[in-house]
Amino acid sequence: MFRKTRLYTPGPTPLLPAAQFAMAAADLHHRTPEFRALYTRVLAQLKEFVGTQNDVLLLACSGTGAMESSVSNLTSPGDRVLVLTAGKFGERWTALAKAFGCTIDQLDAPYGQTFDLATVNAALKPDTKVVYVQATETSTATRHDIRAIAETIRAVTPEALLVVDGITGLGTTHFDVDGWGIDILIGGSQKAVMIPPGLAYLSVSDRAWAAMESSKNPRYYFDLRKERKNAKNGESAYTPSVALIAGLGAALDYIAGQAGGNLAEGRIALIENAETCAVMTRAALAALGFTVFSNAPAAAATAVTVPEGLDSGAVVKEVKARFGAVIANGQGEMKGKLFRIAHLGFFDYMDTIALIGALELVAHDTLKLPVKLGQGLAAAQEVFASRKPNQALHEQLGEAVVA
Ligand SMILES: *Cc1c(COP(=O)(O)O)cnc(C)c1O
């Protein structure tokens, strides 16, 4: 049979055709009124997508560049920071804070788990300047409770800044950036916004801008104050990623179009979409004999472990070889033990059912698990058939809008 290549990886994710067309047509110079109009429009859309009154900036880099900027711009050598880590991306915060000479307190949750709030409380010190955390730890497909973490910080060390890597959290989980007090929230282009890698975006609070006035760490390309100054005039400090910005505008139009043109509602539709794909996938894989790895599973992606003695790499290899579908192996120590399937961005019911069908055949034929064909599909169908809109999400949006 033909095998169409399809990405089910948690970044890069499948591309939105409308965004691809917009990128192909983006033959603009960046110091022109045409570009300024595009940039200004996309920055305004992004604010609505993120759901904040804070400034939102775009950087020409992958997500890690924006993570670096939130260390270099906010800290001085010797500043005490708290890193909450539960996987490979949490470990990246520690590496970045180390590179910029911060004094690091690190709170670890085991891979596949999230943080106990009492331990977060205890890890905060009177002089903690910044707390760094992921909204969803993609390496283990775990969701952290940012609202509760933010509340803990505000109660214990209200001066501390909160920086959230929402690179796979944005578009898969709800944030009330201003209400909870998230000082920096970071997103990346190759995740829920359905365009290629190469753009990062971040919201920056007034408290964070104030901290930059006295922070001493070196920065040049990722000088956020310089970007803000230029953004006010519809420009970026250096040559922007023009095509990706055009693609991002088209993707945000598409997301708004899912809710009659309302981007805030469209974001909720995107989150609910990811949640539906995730619950279908979790139910199917559990029915096939895999174990969901996380005790706080994210909607961004699902990670499952393979039964003892089997290699998750064999599943990754076989779904690609037989069906053209690209899923992700575990990262680092988790390689061979688990595989991961993305739900963030441009996935739908059909994509989800198709992959479950493929995984079912691989479980049956390659792993020789005792499954009956149709068993995983049936579990996913049941979940889908009884799925209701997430009322809590709509209510939260209502609250955020009223506030
Ligand atoms: C993808 C991802 C990143 C960013 O990685 P880049 O390769 O720099 O884009 C950071 N954090 C999380 C949680 C991610 O999923």
Side-chain angles (χ1 to χ4, degrees):
M1 271 199 98
F2 283 14
R3 284 159 301 169
K4 296 193 196 174
T5 299
R6 289 183 171 89
L7 295 185
Y8 288 89
T9 41
T13 62
L15 300 178
L16 178 75
Q20 290 178 282
F21 296 135
M23 287 187 285
D27 192 10
L28 291 179
H29 191 275
H30 57 286
R31 307 286 179 214
T32 60
E34 292 78 10
F35 178 77
R36 285 193 283 274
L38 171 71
Y39 200 55
T40 305
R41 178 174 75 86
V42 172
L43 286 175
Q45 281 179 300
L46 261 185
K47 265 175 89 144
E48 226 178 306
F49 178 70
V50 174
T52 182
Q53 298 300 319
N54 289 338
D55 293 291
V56 175
L57 303 176
L58 274 167
L59 300 172
C61 56
S62 80
T64 306
M67 291 172 74
E68 173 164 328
S69 78
S70 69
V71 177
S72 64
N73 283 258
L74 294 181
T75 64
S76 304
D79 277 352
R80 181 182 289 276
V81 303
L82 172 61
V83 173
L84 307 180
T85 171
K88 291 290 144 198
F89 291 101
E91 290 159 20
R92 189 168 298 180
W93 278 133
T94 300
L96 280 164
K98 196 167 161 208
F100 285 92
C102 297
T103 301
I104 303 166
D105 296 317
Q106 182 178 309
L107 176 65
D108 290 271
Y111 288 179
Q113 295 183 31
T114 188
F115 311 101
D116 169 18
L117 290 174
T119 63
V120 175
N121 190 318
L124 288 161
K125 303 273 163 44
D127 59 341
T128 300
K129 186 158 182 212
V130 191
V131 179
Y132 294 100
V133 65
Q134 270 62 41
T136 50
E137 173 50 72
T138 317
S139 65
T140 64
T142 296
R143 183 197 305 249
H144 299 317
D145 186 345
I146 296 302
R147 180 181 203 157
I149 291 168
E151 280 167 4
T152 305
I153 295 168
R154 295 299 157 246
V156 181
T157 51
E159 297 301 312
L161 298 169
L162 172 59
V163 175
V164 177
D165 164 0
I167 296 173
T168 53
L170 278 152
T172 66
T173 180
H174 175 72
F175 300 98
D176 180 357
V177 177
D178 304 352
W180 301 349
I182 301 174
D183 293 293
I184 290 187
L185 178 61
I186 301 168
S189 57
Q190 80 275 33
K191 309 281 176 145
V193 292
M194 315 177 223
I195 60 171
L199 264 190
Y201 55 98
L202 69 170
S203 69
V204 183
S205 73
D206 289 341
R207 285 158 35 104
W209 289 122
M212 286 178 224
E213 299 295 329
S214 56
S215 57
K216 300 274 187 309
N217 259 319
R219 69 206 79 142
Y220 184 82
Y221 187 71
F222 293 132
D223 186 336
L224 296 179
R225 289 194 296 167
K226 198 159 53 188
E227 281 304 337
R228 171 160 81 158
K229 205 164 145 229
N230 281 277
K232 285 209 163 48
N233 301 320
E235 294 196 6
S236 57
Y238 310 103
T239 310
S241 193
V242 175
L244 286 169
I245 291 164
L248 180 57
L252 294 172
D253 286 345
Y254 174 83
I255 294 168
Q258 298 301 305
N262 180 326
L263 189 47
E265 286 284 348
R267 166 175 23 100
I268 294 213
L270 183 66
I271 294 169
E272 289 192 317
N273 183 69
E275 283 185 340
T276 301
C277 296
V279 291
M280 288 170 71
T281 303
R282 291 201 292 265
L285 291 175
L288 293 174
F290 300 100
T291 306
V292 175
F293 183 59
S294 177
N295 68 357
T302 295
V304 292
T305 54
V306 293
E308 198 57 36
L310 296 176
D311 174 15
S312 65
V315 179
V316 175
K317 216 168 136 198
E318 194 65 8
V319 289
K320 174 85 179 348
R322 234 177 128 184
F323 303 103
V326 185
I327 62 173
N329 204 330
Q331 284 170 263
E333 301 87 310
M334 293 164 279
K335 191 167 180 196
K337 300 199 170 72
L338 58 85
F339 62 88
R340 293 172 299 146
I341 297 158
H343 316 298
L344 74 173
F346 197 45
F347 292 103
D348 67 0
Y349 168 86
M350 304 296 271
D351 298 321
T352 306
I353 284 290
L355 183 67
I356 290 167
L359 286 166
E360 193 167 271
L361 282 166
V362 170
H364 182 269
D365 299 348
T366 308
L367 300 183
K368 313 278 184 217
L369 295 178
V371 302
K372 242 175 70 210
L373 294 182
Q375 198 172 315
L377 287 164
Q381 296 280 41
E382 292 292 344
V383 166
F384 184 81
S386 60
R387 191 90 182 129
K388 302 233 173 16
N390 183 338
Q391 211 48 46
L393 262 184
H394 289 280
E395 279 159 21
Q396 271 177 357
L397 179 75
E399 272 173 38
V401 167
V402 172

